[in-house]
PDB file of all heavy atoms in Angstrom:
ATOM      1  N   ARG A 347    -117.251-200.092 218.856  1.00 97.00           N
ATOM      2  CA  ARG A 347    -117.757-200.717 217.651  1.00 97.00           C
ATOM      3  C   ARG A 347    -117.747-199.644 216.544  1.00 97.00           C
ATOM      4  O   ARG A 347    -118.215-198.542 216.753  1.00 97.00           O
ATOM      5  CB  ARG A 347    -119.180-201.179 217.896  1.00 97.00           C
ATOM      6  CG  ARG A 347    -119.901-201.815 216.743  1.00 97.00           C
ATOM      7  CD  ARG A 347    -119.561-203.283 216.644  1.00 97.00           C
ATOM      8  NE  ARG A 347    -120.437-203.942 215.666  1.00 97.00           N
ATOM      9  CZ  ARG A 347    -120.206-203.945 214.361  1.00 97.00           C
ATOM     10  NH1 ARG A 347    -119.157-203.299 213.890  1.00 97.00           N
ATOM     11  NH2 ARG A 347    -121.030-204.569 213.544  1.00 97.00           N
ATOM     12  N   VAL A 348    -117.207-200.022 215.373  1.00 97.00           N
ATOM     13  CA  VAL A 348    -117.172-199.117 214.238  1.00 97.00           C
ATOM     14  C   VAL A 348    -117.818-199.834 213.036  1.00 97.00           C
ATOM     15  O   VAL A 348    -117.625-201.042 212.864  1.00 97.00           O
ATOM     16  CB  VAL A 348    -115.723-198.741 213.853  1.00 97.00           C
ATOM     17  CG1 VAL A 348    -115.664-197.851 212.647  1.00 97.00           C
ATOM     18  CG2 VAL A 348    -115.030-198.040 215.025  1.00 97.00           C
ATOM     19  N   TYR A 349    -118.614-199.100 212.282  1.00 95.00           N
ATOM     20  CA  TYR A 349    -119.258-199.684 211.101  1.00 95.00           C
ATOM     21  C   TYR A 349    -118.466-199.414 209.839  1.00 95.00           C
ATOM     22  O   TYR A 349    -117.764-198.405 209.752  1.00 95.00           O
ATOM     23  CB  TYR A 349    -120.684-199.140 210.952  1.00 95.00           C
ATOM     24  CG  TYR A 349    -121.588-199.562 212.096  1.00 95.00           C
ATOM     25  CD1 TYR A 349    -121.817-198.757 213.165  1.00 95.00           C
ATOM     26  CD2 TYR A 349    -122.178-200.824 212.074  1.00 95.00           C
ATOM     27  CE1 TYR A 349    -122.615-199.154 214.231  1.00 95.00           C
ATOM     28  CE2 TYR A 349    -122.986-201.254 213.094  1.00 95.00           C
ATOM     29  CZ  TYR A 349    -123.227-200.421 214.183  1.00 95.00           C
ATOM     30  OH  TYR A 349    -123.992-200.815 215.209  1.00 95.00           O
ATOM     31  N   THR A 350    -118.615-200.293 208.859  1.00 95.00           N
ATOM     32  CA  THR A 350    -117.992-200.062 207.560  1.00 95.00           C
ATOM     33  C   THR A 350    -118.445-198.737 206.995  1.00 95.00           C
ATOM     34  O   THR A 350    -119.662-198.449 207.007  1.00 95.00           O
ATOM     35  CB  THR A 350    -118.369-201.202 206.593  1.00 95.00           C
ATOM     36  OG1 THR A 350    -117.977-202.455 207.164  1.00 95.00           O
ATOM     37  CG2 THR A 350    -117.714-201.012 205.207  1.00 95.00           C
ATOM     38  N   GLY A 351    -117.507-197.913 206.567  1.00 96.00           N
ATOM     39  CA  GLY A 351    -117.844-196.621 205.987  1.00 96.00           C
ATOM     40  C   GLY A 351    -118.019-195.491 207.005  1.00 96.00           C
ATOM     41  O   GLY A 351    -118.248-194.353 206.645  1.00 96.00           O
ATOM     42  N   GLN A 352    -117.923-195.823 208.260  1.00 97.00           N
ATOM     43  CA  GLN A 352    -118.060-194.814 209.301  1.00 97.00           C
ATOM     44  C   GLN A 352    -116.770-194.003 209.366  1.00 97.00           C
ATOM     45  O   GLN A 352    -115.666-194.540 209.302  1.00 97.00           O
ATOM     46  CB  GLN A 352    -118.343-195.481 210.685  1.00 97.00           C
ATOM     47  CG  GLN A 352    -118.805-194.506 211.707  1.00 97.00           C
ATOM     48  CD  GLN A 352    -119.381-195.235 212.939  1.00 97.00           C
ATOM     49  OE1 GLN A 352    -119.162-196.454 213.121  1.00 97.00           O
ATOM     50  NE2 GLN A 352    -120.045-194.488 213.785  1.00 97.00           N
ATOM     51  N   ARG A 353    -116.917-192.685 209.555  1.00 98.00           N
ATOM     52  CA  ARG A 353    -115.723-191.807 209.594  1.00 98.00           C
ATOM     53  C   ARG A 353    -114.919-192.072 210.848  1.00 98.00           C
ATOM     54  O   ARG A 353    -115.444-192.059 211.955  1.00 98.00           O
ATOM     55  CB  ARG A 353    -116.155-190.357 209.536  1.00 98.00           C
ATOM     56  CG  ARG A 353    -114.969-189.442 209.440  1.00 98.00           C
ATOM     57  CD  ARG A 353    -115.375-188.024 209.144  1.00 98.00           C
ATOM     58  NE  ARG A 353    -114.189-187.178 209.316  1.00 98.00           N
ATOM     59  CZ  ARG A 353    -114.026-186.021 208.773  1.00 98.00           C
ATOM     60  NH1 ARG A 353    -114.938-185.523 208.004  1.00 98.00           N
ATOM     61  NH2 ARG A 353    -112.919-185.341 208.974  1.00 98.00           N
ATOM     62  N   ILE A 354    -113.630-192.354 210.666  1.00 98.00           N
ATOM     63  CA  ILE A 354    -112.723-192.623 211.799  1.00 98.00           C
ATOM     64  C   ILE A 354    -111.737-191.512 212.003  1.00 98.00           C
ATOM     65  O   ILE A 354    -111.022-191.484 212.999  1.00 98.00           O
ATOM     66  CB  ILE A 354    -111.989-193.976 211.643  1.00 98.00           C
ATOM     67  CG1 ILE A 354    -111.254-194.025 210.286  1.00 98.00           C
ATOM     68  CG2 ILE A 354    -112.962-195.142 211.792  1.00 98.00           C
ATOM     69  CD1 ILE A 354    -110.372-195.244 210.113  1.00 98.00           C
ATOM     70  N   GLY A 355    -111.628-190.571 211.066  1.00 97.00           N
ATOM     71  CA  GLY A 355    -110.688-189.494 211.214  1.00 97.00           C
ATOM     72  C   GLY A 355    -110.432-188.816 209.884  1.00 97.00           C
ATOM     73  O   GLY A 355    -111.298-188.871 209.001  1.00 97.00           O
ATOM     74  N   ALA A 356    -109.266-188.183 209.737  1.00 98.00           N
ATOM     75  CA  ALA A 356    -108.904-187.499 208.499  1.00 98.00           C
ATOM     76  C   ALA A 356    -107.454-187.751 208.198  1.00 98.00           C
ATOM     77  O   ALA A 356    -106.627-188.009 209.101  1.00 98.00           O
ATOM     78  CB  ALA A 356    -109.175-185.989 208.632  1.00 98.00           C
ATOM     79  N   VAL A 357    -107.118-187.684 206.900  1.00 98.00           N
ATOM     80  CA  VAL A 357    -105.735-187.848 206.477  1.00 98.00           C
ATOM     81  C   VAL A 357    -104.882-186.763 207.099  1.00 98.00           C
ATOM     82  O   VAL A 357    -105.279-185.594 207.166  1.00 98.00           O
ATOM     83  CB  VAL A 357    -105.638-187.799 204.940  1.00 98.00           C
ATOM     84  CG1 VAL A 357    -104.178-187.809 204.454  1.00 98.00           C
ATOM     85  CG2 VAL A 357    -106.427-188.969 204.309  1.00 98.00           C
ATOM     86  N   GLY A 358    -103.693-187.154 207.579  1.00 98.00           N
ATOM     87  CA  GLY A 358    -102.771-186.176 208.197  1.00 98.00           C
ATOM     88  C   GLY A 358    -101.338-186.560 207.943  1.00 98.00           C
ATOM     89  O   GLY A 358    -101.042-187.383 207.053  1.00 98.00           O
TER      90      GLY A 358
END
Side-chain angles (χ1 to χ4, degrees):
R347 178 85 170 83
V348 177
Y349 294 96
T350 302
Q352 193 167 15
R353 185 170 169 156
I354 53 174
V357 172

